[in-house]
Amino acid sequence: MTSSATSQTNLLGLPRAALEAFVADLGSKPFRARQLMNWIYKRGEGSIADMTDLAKDFRALLRERAEIRTPEIVTMQHSSDGTRKWKLSADSSQAFEMVFIPEKERGTLCISSQVGCMLDCSFCSTAQQGFNRNLSAAEIVGQVWLAKQELGDFSRTRRAGDDRPPQAGGDSRIVTNVVLMGMGEPLANFRNVVPAVRILMDDYGFDLSRRRVTLSTSGLVPQIYKLAEETNVALAVSLHAPDDELRSELVPINRKHPIAELLEACWHYIDEQNGRSVTFEYVMLEGINDSPAQARALAALLKGHPAKVNLIPFNPFPGTRYRRSPMPVIAEFRDELIRRGVLATIRRTRGDDIDAACGQLAGKVIDRTTVRLGNKLFGVAVQQ
Ligand code: SAH
């Protein structure tokens, strides 16, 4: 599990079809791939040697050519509200973060897709770090595998006598939901994110339903269309403003893909994927985007469409010029939306005492970009 970098293939990065091809390449039958996935994703076995129902010589060959390797933990912090944050190493000098948020009815794991971010949203702490690199599919899936291991969420690691209450719906899982809302812009790392979400949703993988895996994007429009062709994960979109002028200031990618274009892509995604609705995230910044008139303008954009709004109280970080809207203002904004027929909720702030709340993930990023989006547009590197 912790072998050093070699030419071994990390199995955590291979969705079922690719794993079948890999196994076939080693001269074995494709059904071995499903057996392997059962060991890896259901039982949480990280040691190929211990996969006892695989033939000995196949195991030996696998051990030569493959590995199951997760990112390594640098530190773990525990919040007073039960939230946990892990800092994970991307290499000797780079780190990224993931957060687990336990609630009564579910346990949400928030994972990262990049080390840093290039999109330069003015209210986000990750943006201030700059961008270093994309995470691989194995590093994305590896976060979930590692968290389940840490939380005792594999059947193998759930000891007899474990008296934790089962989750709602009779599901005894601890990690019930995964959100790609950590560091990075998932759609700017399309090539690795798509196989990763396939593994999360595959019956033979983590077997999470499409409603329980959410990809959040700041609005890379062409990639939303591509995503509709490739997967049906739940979509969340960081909107944050009801008009282009303000949104371009908060989320610079808006200058390239303005609101009307973005919303078209969202409705297309729902149509194609037969989805329920898009969740629009809206960070509440005092005196910037939180007026009743702005709530009305937002309602006008979304009313009649398959949309819900999730209002996120702004989480401050050192050096920011923004302040969180007061709670009554946020509640009024929500009520205004609801009065106008748009579903809206307020996201509960979790883990802020350990800087694990939305927008606070920083990790350790050595910025390798020369220009960031806020300064110069149209240069977002997107891995197709
Ligand atoms: N890049 C993707 C994934 C990040 S998700 C995206 O933009 O959607 C993280 C969510 O937290 C996004 O909606 C983001 O806009 C929001 N966010 C960023 N900084 C924040 C802050 N300081 N306080 C509250 N929410 C923030």
Side-chain angles (χ1 to χ4, degrees), residues 110-111 113-114 117 119 121-127 180-187 215-220 236-240 247 251 280-285 310 312-317 320 322 324 347 349 357-361:
C110 176
I111 60 173
S113 57
Q114 299 183 310
C117 190
L119 293 187
C121 300
S122 59
F123 52 87
C124 180
S125 164
T126 303
L180 283 115
M181 294 188 185
M183 293 170 73
E185 166 51 51
L187 292 186
L215 184 153
S216 178
T217 178
S218 56
L220 268 59
V237 170
S238 295
L239 194 57
H240 304 318
R247 188 163 192 271
V251 185
F280 291 94
E281 294 154 292
Y282 194 101
V283 63
M284 296 301 290
L285 306 167
N310 194 214
I312 316 176
F314 171 65
N315 295 305
F317 52 88
T320 182
Y322 298 111
R324 177 185 294 182
R347 188 177 293 178
T349 298
C358 302
Q360 291 186 321
L361 300 189

Side-chain angles (χ1 to χ4, degrees), residues 161-191:
D162 187 340
D163 57 359
R164 271 169 297 201
Q167 302 285 345
D171 190 343
S172 61
R173 293 185 209 194
I174 295 169
V175 176
T176 61
N177 294 54
V178 174
V179 296
L180 283 115
M181 294 188 185
M183 293 170 73
E185 166 51 51
L187 292 186
N189 184 13
F190 196 92
R191 192 169 72 184

Side-chain angles (χ1 to χ4, degrees), residues 109-318:
L109 185 70
C110 176
I111 60 173
S112 292
S113 57
Q114 299 183 310
V115 182
C117 190
M118 223 183 269
L119 293 187
D120 220 11
C121 300
S122 59
F123 52 87
C124 180
S125 164
T126 303
Q128 299 216 323
Q129 309 277 309
F131 173 78
N132 185 271
R133 71 167 173 89
N134 284 326
L135 292 176
S136 67
E139 286 171 318
I140 299 169
V141 173
Q143 293 172 67
V144 183
W145 200 87
L146 184 61
K148 284 174 76 84
Q149 204 65 262
E150 287 277 294
L151 295 163
D153 195 21
F154 282 118
S155 50
R156 198 173 58 86
T157 50
R158 265 183 98 93
R159 309 248 173 267
D162 187 340
D163 57 359
R164 271 169 297 201
Q167 302 285 345
D171 190 343
S172 61
R173 293 185 209 194
I174 295 169
V175 176
T176 61
N177 294 54
V178 174
V179 296
L180 283 115
M181 294 188 185
M183 293 170 73
E185 166 51 51
L187 292 186
N189 184 13
F190 196 92
R191 192 169 72 184
N192 298 330
V193 162
V194 166
V197 300
R198 289 217 171 102
I199 295 170
L200 296 185
M201 299 194 296
D202 189 341
D203 304 351
Y204 290 93
F206 287 119
D207 191 23
L208 292 160
S209 82
R210 58 184 290 199
R211 286 180 299 115
R212 293 186 178 273
V213 180
T214 304
L215 184 153
S216 178
T217 178
S218 56
L220 268 59
V221 167
Q223 281 71 33
I224 295 176
Y225 284 99
K226 268 190 75 181
L227 192 69
E229 289 167 21
E230 303 264 345
T231 157
N232 61 6
V233 48
L235 186 66
V237 170
S238 295
L239 194 57
H240 304 318
D243 63 84
D244 281 322
E245 193 185 343
L246 179 58
R247 188 163 192 271
S248 293
E249 195 184 307
L250 301 175
V251 185
I253 191 74
N254 191 70
R255 290 181 231 155
K256 189 169 183 188
H257 302 297
I259 293 174
E261 221 184 273
L262 173 59
L263 294 180
E264 269 314 304
C266 292
W267 314 144
H268 170 83
Y269 187 84
I270 293 299
D271 277 352
E272 280 298 293
Q273 288 306 338
N274 220 347
R276 290 190 181 177
S277 58
V278 174
T279 301
F280 291 94
E281 294 154 292
Y282 194 101
V283 63
M284 296 301 290
L285 306 167
E286 185 176 20
I288 305 281
N289 65 354
D290 62 353
S291 74
Q294 285 162 318
R296 289 192 287 276
L298 181 61
L301 283 179
L302 303 181
K303 191 174 159 45
H305 292 288
K308 48 187 184 193
V309 175
N310 194 214
L311 302 171
I312 316 176
F314 171 65
N315 295 305
F317 52 88

